[in-house]
Amino acid sequence: MAGDERPVLADGQIAFPEHHPDPDGSHWLFEFLLDPTPEAFRTFAEDYYEVPVDVEAVRDIYASRRLGLPQIVGLNPEASLPEVVAAARAMGYPLVDDLRPDAS
């Protein structure tokens, strides 16, 4: 290699910090995959996004219940209602009747 260039990928020994409960972050990273419950997702979301999350709204999503304003507000009170509805419609997620423009 020329000059100070370093390879993007390398292999070898990793110096993990001593006495750290999760030195490589794998426990935190995979914890949600190992516990796929609404409560685990709420814990992850509150930690990651640093906002409160309504576990009942998460339970509704996990159960594929129709999406309504209470769930949207419980997950993100600042979310744009038209954007959430458009995203839900695009993925075929069921909506309550008052959020469906085609409902009569």
Side-chain angles (χ1 to χ4, degrees):
M1 303 191 107
D4 291 332
E5 291 181 37
R6 293 182 171 205
V8 175
L9 297 175
D11 62 0
Q13 296 294 323
I14 300 172
F16 291 112
E18 291 186 37
H19 310 294
H20 190 282
D22 190 17
D24 65 352
S26 62
H27 178 73
W28 177 83
L29 186 61
F30 294 109
E31 186 175 59
F32 175 61
L33 294 175
L34 299 175
D35 184 10
T37 62
E39 293 76 16
F41 180 79
R42 178 191 54 184
T43 299
F44 161 77
E46 288 181 340
D47 181 52
Y48 189 82
Y49 295 107
E50 299 179 346
V51 296
V53 175
D54 178 6
V55 73
E56 290 303 321
V58 177
R59 286 182 184 132
D60 289 342
I61 300 300
Y62 269 62
S64 297
R65 293 187 187 108
R66 296 189 308 159
L67 184 65
L69 194 55
Q71 291 81 19
I72 295 168
V73 171
L75 295 171
N76 183 353
E78 297 178 17
S80 161
L81 186 58
E83 288 178 15
V84 171
V85 169
R89 292 185 79 203
M91 68 177 82
Y93 194 88
L95 298 167
V96 296
D97 288 342
D98 57 344
L99 292 181
R100 291 179 39 219
D102 57 344
S104 27

